[in-house]
Amino acid sequence: MMRHVLVFCDWFTPAKRAGGPVKSLEGILGTLPDDVSAIVVTSDRDLGAKEPYPGLSGRVIPRGRHAILFVNHRSPLHWARALRYIRRRPVGLLYLNSLWSRRSTWAPLIFYRLGAFGPKPPIALAPRGEMGQGALSLKSHRKAVVLRPLVRVLRLFPITWHVSSVGEAADLRKLVPRAVVLVAPDAVGDIPRNEALPSGPQPLWVFLGRVAPVKNIHFALEAMRHLTSPVTLDIFGPIEDPSYWERCQSVISTLPKVINTRYRGSLDPSDAPSVLAQYDTMLLPTLGENFGHVIAESLSAGCPVVCSDRTPWTDVLENGGGLALALEPALWRSHLEALASATAAERTAAKEEALRTYSARWRGSDFANPLVMALNGPA
């Protein structure tokens, strides 16, 4: 008998600007067993886009045995259609993908409370790193005021929390001590392995991600102020926070002339591996990642990663994929200077080592599907 999971998320394929959560959900849907189907309710437009996807708004799009509902969240008609579609199928699990989203977490919880989904199923909630210390440090006063009341409200629901790492589970339990927590890493999937491209005469570095405070790219830019060796840094990703980008541009204006920094716009996710293969190093001074798909993509492309120690990838990077550094300015300055002065042969060898690390540790890895775990309940 087919079991149905109802998934709410702010963005899903074909979104190109929303980063890791889209890839996480793609991996989850792609590894569901044949007796589980998903109904995904998501936005009818990409992150930051004013216009909906052509031909998708308000429609139900089949995806194998799954169904994707593209909703204009301001349209009562779209919501009514979505709820009618959902009520035709017995929902075995409600899966939510944010703590803070009003449209994809709190609106569904209100519908759930009102019985709009039929008999009330268990709930799995994936905060997607939002309860990590780095994420909570942003707009910290506002979040501190709201967080405790939110947690009290969530205790009224039969929620299992889905996190991607032991570290994320520890952060969650500090805030929700009696939480039922399911630890299931995101599926990397079988990202094609590229061949390492030889390095050129000057180092080429890259940042790939949302231009937003949590990604912390200004920290790496500030660490580059003291470089004396020529380096090019290309920045790819949507400008999610224009005021933060202005801050980054202010730092860029103070960099020495030997540093060439270019903003390259958003990158189609399907192009990421081939683009990353052209670079010697990816910089990711993130304040926190519950997983970090871009790290897997970078390693698969033979591009070593220098990131903060606030991701689940520290052991992998320390074993040949790059560096995981505490967010200490002096530490980043010294390591970036060493990378900038490396020879082409040394940089090519590091790229080959990143590929070996990816092949040995992550390519095609099998992960337990969190939706199946939540559907099956306690062992």
Side-chain angles (χ1 to χ4, degrees):
M1 183 177 70
M2 186 67 69
R3 296 180 290 173
H4 301 284
V5 176
L6 176 58
V7 179
F8 281 85
C9 55
D10 283 341
W11 298 283
F12 190 63
T13 308
K16 300 184 184 302
R17 303 176 181 175
V22 175
K23 296 172 185 175
S24 297
L25 284 173
E26 286 181 332
I28 288 171
L29 263 62
T31 56
L32 283 174
D34 292 341
D35 67 337
V36 179
S37 71
I39 303 166
V40 180
V41 182
T42 191
S43 175
D44 67 349
R45 62 203 68 201
D46 206 345
L47 171 66
K50 295 181 179 179
E51 299 298 324
Y53 306 117
L56 296 182
S57 185
R59 296 183 59 194
V60 179
I61 304 299
R63 179 170 171 163
R65 65 185 180 281
H66 310 306
I68 317 299
L69 283 63
F70 291 95
V71 172
N72 179 342
H73 291 89
R74 296 183 178 181
S75 169
L77 179 60
H78 282 197
W79 277 113
R81 288 174 178 168
L83 292 174
R84 280 200 302 271
Y85 184 90
I86 292 164
R87 285 294 293 262
R88 297 180 192 142
R89 294 153 182 80
V91 175
L93 177 72
L94 173 62
Y95 185 57
L96 308 174
N97 283 274
S98 173
L99 174 65
W100 301 107
S101 175
R102 288 174 290 180
R103 65 191 186 189
S104 293
T105 299
W106 293 97
L109 286 176
I110 292 171
F111 289 136
Y112 178 97
R113 197 72 173 175
L114 295 173
F117 304 142
K120 295 177 180 176
I123 301 170
L125 194 159
R128 300 294 172 197
E130 294 169 334
M131 299 184 82
Q133 293 304 305
L136 290 175
S137 69
L138 303 171
K139 301 179 181 178
S140 55
H141 177 71
R142 185 187 308 173
K143 289 179 178 178
V145 170
V146 175
L147 184 58
R148 289 188 183 279
L150 288 186
V151 170
R152 285 198 293 270
V153 171
L154 289 172
R155 287 178 180 147
L156 301 175
F157 297 87
I159 288 178
T160 296
W161 296 79
H162 166 218
V163 298
S164 298
S165 68
V166 173
E168 190 182 7
D171 287 338
L172 172 64
R173 287 196 170 100
K174 291 176 184 175
L175 300 166
V176 193
R178 295 188 295 275
V180 178
V181 181
L182 183 162
V183 181
D186 289 351
V188 172
D190 193 14
I191 304 171
R193 181 184 185 277
N194 290 271
E195 295 300 321
L197 299 179
S199 295
Q202 291 186 2
L204 289 174
W205 297 350
V206 64
F207 167 86
L208 174 57
R210 294 175 291 120
V211 179
V214 71
K215 300 301 181 181
N216 206 29
I217 182 59
H218 82 277
F219 180 90
L221 292 168
E222 289 176 345
M224 294 170 65
R225 279 180 170 152
H226 303 280
L227 295 182
T228 57
S229 302
V231 168
T232 293
L233 171 66
D234 286 345
I235 297 173
F236 290 92
I239 297 174
E240 182 177 298
D241 187 329
S243 63
Y244 180 70
W245 177 234
E246 289 179 6
R247 179 182 180 184
C248 293
Q249 289 178 302
S250 178
V251 178
I252 290 170
S253 68
T254 67
L255 295 178
K257 293 182 179 180
V258 293
I259 308 300
N260 180 24
T261 304
R262 304 178 294 190
Y263 175 64
R264 304 292 298 273
S266 295
L267 183 64
D268 190 299
S270 62
D271 295 332
S274 61
V275 170
L276 288 169
Q278 303 171 33
Y279 291 89
D280 298 306
T281 305
M282 185 179 75
L283 304 183
L284 187 65
T286 176
L287 295 180
E289 302 289 327
N290 73 307
F291 186 68
H293 286 271
V294 73
I295 298 174
E297 288 180 325
S298 191
L299 296 180
S300 79
C303 180
V305 180
V306 177
C307 75
S308 71
D309 57 358
R310 301 183 184 184
T311 80
W313 293 82
T314 295
D315 291 345
V316 175
L317 296 180
E318 289 179 348
N319 281 299
L323 294 168
L325 304 174
L327 289 175
E328 299 175 3
L331 191 62
W332 277 70
R333 285 197 297 267
S334 63
H335 280 286
L336 292 186
E337 181 59 55
L339 289 172
S341 59
T343 66
E346 290 170 335
R347 286 182 273 117
T348 298
K351 289 165 69 71
E352 293 171 347
E353 182 63 19
L355 275 175
R356 283 193 292 271
T357 298
Y358 171 70
S359 295
R361 296 291 297 274
W362 288 97
R363 189 179 183 212
S365 297
D366 293 325
F367 293 89
N369 190 293
L371 300 191
V372 175
M373 295 170 71
L375 274 169
N376 292 340

